[in-house]
Amino acid sequence: MGDFAARLRQRIEDTESALRRAMTAQDVYGVQVEQGELDSLLRIAADHGVDPQIRTMAA
């Protein structure tokens, strides 16, 4: 599940960035689309027991 979780976390991070850009641009439709995508990704993460927070490991 490591690769699945990593890809899901990356998609969440990318969607959060896109949501912030849409908010900054005051793009109402873009905000709705990105928020819907983020909600779906977070639901998938919860359904599969994936912590959506990106964690980095210190070397």
Side-chain angles (χ1 to χ4, degrees):
M1 169 123 66
D3 190 45
F4 171 77
R7 288 177 185 263
L8 183 55
R9 287 185 187 112
Q10 184 62 54
R11 287 188 61 197
I12 290 168
E13 183 179 331
D14 293 346
T15 302
E16 287 173 335
S17 294
L19 177 58
R20 283 191 296 274
R21 285 192 304 273
M23 292 172 75
T24 299
Q26 298 181 357
D27 178 357
V28 175
Y29 177 73
V31 168
Q32 291 176 340
V33 169
E34 298 303 336
Q35 186 63 60
E37 178 73 9
L38 182 58
D39 291 345
S40 294
L41 292 170
L42 292 174
R43 191 172 318 108
I44 291 167
D47 288 348
H48 293 279
V50 174
D51 181 355
Q53 298 299 315
I54 306 297
R55 302 200 192 286
T56 57
M57 299 179 69

